[in-house]
Amino acid sequence: MLQRGSARPHEARFNGTEPHLNISIFGLGYVGAVSLACLGRDGHHVVGVDVDAAKLELIAAGRTPVVEEGMVDLMERVAKSGRLRVTSDARDAVLSTDMSLVCVGTPSASNGSQDQSAIVRLAHEIGVALRDKASPHVIVFRSTLVPGTVEGVLQPIIERESGKRDGDGLHICYQPEFLREGSSIRDYDKPPFTIVGANGEAGLSKLRELFGHLPCAFHSTSIRAAETVKYCCNNFHALKITFANETARLCEAMGVDPFEVMDLVCQDRQLNISPAYLKPGFAFGGSCLPKDLRATLYFAKSHDVELPVLANVLASNRAHVDLAISKVLETGKRNVGMIGLSFKTGTDDLRESPLVTLAEHFIGKGLRLRIHDPEVQLSRLLGANRRFIEQHVPHIAELMRDDLHAVIREAEVIVVGLDHPKVHQALAEVATADQVVIDLVRLRNRDDIAAKVEGLCW
Ligand SMILES: NC(=O)c1ccc[n+]([C@@H]2O[C@H](COP(=O)([O-])OP(=O)(O)OC[C@H]3O[C@@H](n4cnc5c(N)ncnc54)[C@H](O)[C@@H]3O)[C@@H](O)[C@H]2O)c1
């Protein structure tokens, strides 16, 4: 569900006539202190809670506990407004507010796992406090949490301690925070999007009241998806930074200006900075990406340049091929029909096609294999494309079939590597309940197919 907020300036919107909420904010670090200041600025009554008495003292005196642009002035103004108070008493904070935002730290433990001790303790305290609360309370977890933590760890604690259920007297949401230190007030006012995971409407509608006016899309989703999006965003940022830095090391060895190169790379909004190549699917292959990656790595090695991320890309790609192989072998069936052979839909190029690797593997395992690919006419293959096939799967001609329906009908397990409406239609028409389809393309009509359809990792 998606809604887009209007870009109304905060001061104009919160001119004293808008209804305000009573909000407690647990954990007054970067996320909590900035949220406290901005919500107070926006006319809400805020109660700050922390276990650190020094932070509480600073905030009560109108001073900021974190160094952030704009926070000195903002904290002073909000403290003077009379809409802010602080406490170390979780019970007091829960009982005197309608909503709690939980922003406590979730640092790394020494083994790399997430240390959730602070948030788990707090869940107990909030649950106990809620036992004595008659009116409904919304709990919004904003700390970054390993997917599954809210529903698997925190919610059961709160429900057990409070004697209430999510959706009945208490409403649990997860709303990841996307602000960046250094520009946190600006990011608070203009986030990339607002994402709220919830299992009911009540908490969601309160958060729409609070954040729906922001100039960005408002998405509601499952709690687990919201937790996962936060991790995915941070992992992606880390990957991008590392890519730019590996590129810079490579550029230095090549005697090229890395800033100019990355600037030009970023100007391609069609293929580079775009959703292209960011959809889950099957492994990459073809005549360009694998060979160019190998050449890059060879060049780097010969110039003593370390590129650990790029060096592991082909291994990760191979892991994806291996997953498809094991999915097919795990069915225990020995009669395989493959739909698609070229490296992507719409081409007859077989060079380094991961589907050819699959075929090679199945042949090597002694499986009975039949292949259909409408684009691939072996008699018409020329040059490097022909040589590749002669070298890797020389007997492939015997396995190729023109009749798609017959390939489906005669197989026990059907591997779909070609994304075409005709394939979807043929599967719906021919496949039977005793067959298994291994879906490498994300078939959109799974419900129309009588066979058991297993996505590669979806
Ligand atoms: N810092 C960022 O830029 C940023 C951005 C997005 C998300 N996050 C996530 O938000 C969360 C908070 O990050 P942060 O940087 O603000 O952390 P922080 O370490 O700066 O602050 C956490 C605060 O929680 C307090 N606290 C601990 N236990 C408490 C309890 N039981 N009750 C009340 N307060 C308690 C601590 O005293 C501390 O003041 C983390 O999960 C982090 O991963 C951080």
Side-chain angles (χ1 to χ4, degrees):
M1 201 188 301
L2 187 155
Q3 288 183 354
R4 187 168 284 278
S6 61
R8 275 183 290 170
H10 296 270
E11 304 296 330
R13 179 171 185 261
F14 297 101
N15 55 12
T17 56
E18 295 267 348
H20 69 260
L21 295 174
N22 294 312
I23 306 165
S24 43
I25 294 147
F26 289 81
L28 301 172
Y30 287 88
V31 171
V34 170
S35 302
L36 180 91
C38 291
L39 288 166
R41 172 202 67 187
D42 292 352
H44 301 289
H45 286 243
V46 285
V47 178
V49 194
D50 206 290
V51 289
D52 184 336
K55 281 193 183 178
L56 295 183
E57 260 174 52
L58 275 176
I59 291 171
R63 292 170 58 202
T64 175
V66 294
V67 177
E68 274 295 313
E69 189 187 298
M71 273 294 277
V72 171
D73 288 349
L74 194 55
M75 276 310 310
E76 198 183 333
R77 262 171 56 206
V78 171
K80 277 189 189 147
S81 74
R83 291 191 293 270
L84 160 72
R85 79 181 174 87
V86 293
T87 177
S88 58
D89 182 352
R91 180 185 164 78
D92 164 24
V94 168
L95 295 183
S96 61
T97 58
D98 310 311
M99 175 190 281
S100 298
L101 304 186
V102 178
C103 314
V104 300
T106 49
S108 269
S110 55
N111 64 1
S113 66
Q114 185 172 58
D115 177 355
Q116 299 180 335
S117 51
I119 204 156
V120 165
R121 253 195 324 276
L122 190 54
H124 279 280
E125 288 178 44
I126 291 176
V128 170
L130 282 173
R131 223 181 276 166
D132 302 325
K133 190 168 184 200
S135 55
H137 197 80
V138 179
I139 303 168
V140 187
F141 290 103
R142 306 228 49 196
S143 303
T144 300
L145 292 167
V146 171
T149 302
V150 170
E151 288 168 311
V153 179
L154 304 174
Q155 182 177 331
I157 294 172
I158 294 171
E159 290 186 337
R160 193 177 58 243
E161 298 296 344
S162 67
K164 296 177 179 169
R165 314 280 307 168
D166 181 27
D168 183 13
L170 93 97
H171 305 286
I172 295 177
C173 302
Y174 180 73
Q175 184 192 359
E177 175 57 69
F178 294 104
L179 61 74
R180 295 162 298 174
E181 286 176 27
S183 57
S184 54
I185 295 177
R186 270 179 283 134
D187 290 346
Y188 177 94
D189 290 333
K190 195 177 179 307
F193 41 34
T194 300
I195 294 180
V196 178
N199 288 317
E201 253 309 308
L204 255 177
S205 67
K206 280 276 175 231
L207 286 172
R208 261 198 211 98
E209 252 179 75
L210 261 191
F211 299 113
H213 65 283
L214 291 173
C216 65
F218 187 108
H219 298 273
S220 67
T221 181
S222 68
I223 290 178
R224 204 174 275 256
E227 290 170 320
T228 307
V229 169
K230 176 65 193 171
Y231 269 93
C232 194
C233 290
N234 275 357
N235 293 341
F236 193 37
H237 299 331
L239 189 63
K240 285 190 293 183
I241 291 167
T242 308
F243 177 79
N245 289 342
E246 286 201 357
T247 300
R249 299 205 288 275
L250 194 63
C251 284
E252 189 185 35
M254 290 171 166
V256 177
D257 176 0
F259 295 100
E260 187 191 2
V261 168
M262 281 311 296
D263 187 42
L264 288 170
V265 165
C266 292
Q267 285 189 34
D268 171 0
R269 303 276 159 158
Q270 217 165 301
L271 300 181
N272 289 349
I273 311 302
S274 81
Y277 306 118
L278 279 173
K279 232 172 39 190
F282 193 40
F284 67 78
S287 61
C288 295
L289 303 190
K291 92 172 161 61
D292 295 347
L293 200 43
R294 276 194 296 268
T296 302
L297 295 172
Y298 187 88
F299 177 91
K301 199 159 67 179
S302 55
H303 287 76
D304 292 330
V305 178
E306 293 279 336
L307 303 177
V309 167
L310 287 176
N312 281 289
V313 170
L314 285 170
S316 175
N317 201 44
R318 177 66 210 203
H320 220 53
V321 176
D322 290 345
L323 178 64
I325 291 171
S326 55
K327 282 247 163 183
V328 172
L329 297 183
E330 275 164 20
T331 65
K333 299 179 190 294
R334 303 196 57 80
N335 191 355
V336 180
M338 265 183 67
I339 305 173
L341 187 64
S342 65
F343 88 93
K344 69 176 175 188
T345 299
T347 173
D348 68 348
D349 198 344
L350 298 171
R351 283 172 293 172
E352 303 219 32
S353 166
L355 292 168
V356 171
T357 312
L358 282 192
E360 273 182 291
H361 205 90
F362 297 150
I363 295 166
K365 285 275 174 195
L367 304 187
R368 178 180 184 270
L369 181 63
R370 298 286 175 269
I371 304 168
H372 171 81
D373 189 325
E375 312 286 350
V376 178
Q377 303 291 327
L378 289 179
S379 56
R380 284 203 246 132
L381 292 185
L382 298 168
N385 200 1
R386 185 176 195 92
R387 278 196 300 282
F388 181 80
I389 276 303
E390 284 168 356
Q391 196 181 342
H392 286 263
V393 259
H395 305 301
I396 206 149
E398 298 154 25
L399 308 177
M400 298 296 293
R401 295 287 180 274
D402 288 335
D403 186 344
L404 167 62
H405 287 70
V407 168
I408 297 173
R409 205 177 297 116
E410 289 165 17
E412 292 170 292
V413 51
I414 303 144
V415 180
V416 181
L418 180 74
D419 191 8
H420 194 281
K422 278 190 182 155
V423 176
H424 298 207
Q425 195 186 333
L427 285 166
E429 286 168 4
V430 181
T432 53
D434 55 345
Q435 293 177 304
V436 179
V437 171
I438 304 294
D439 170 21
L440 308 181
V441 297
R442 195 194 185 195
L443 289 164
R444 281 169 291 280
N445 62 337
R446 285 170 82 137
D447 292 345
D448 303 339
I449 300 169
K452 180 178 178 221
V453 180
E454 280 185 34
L456 179 60
C457 39
W458 49 83

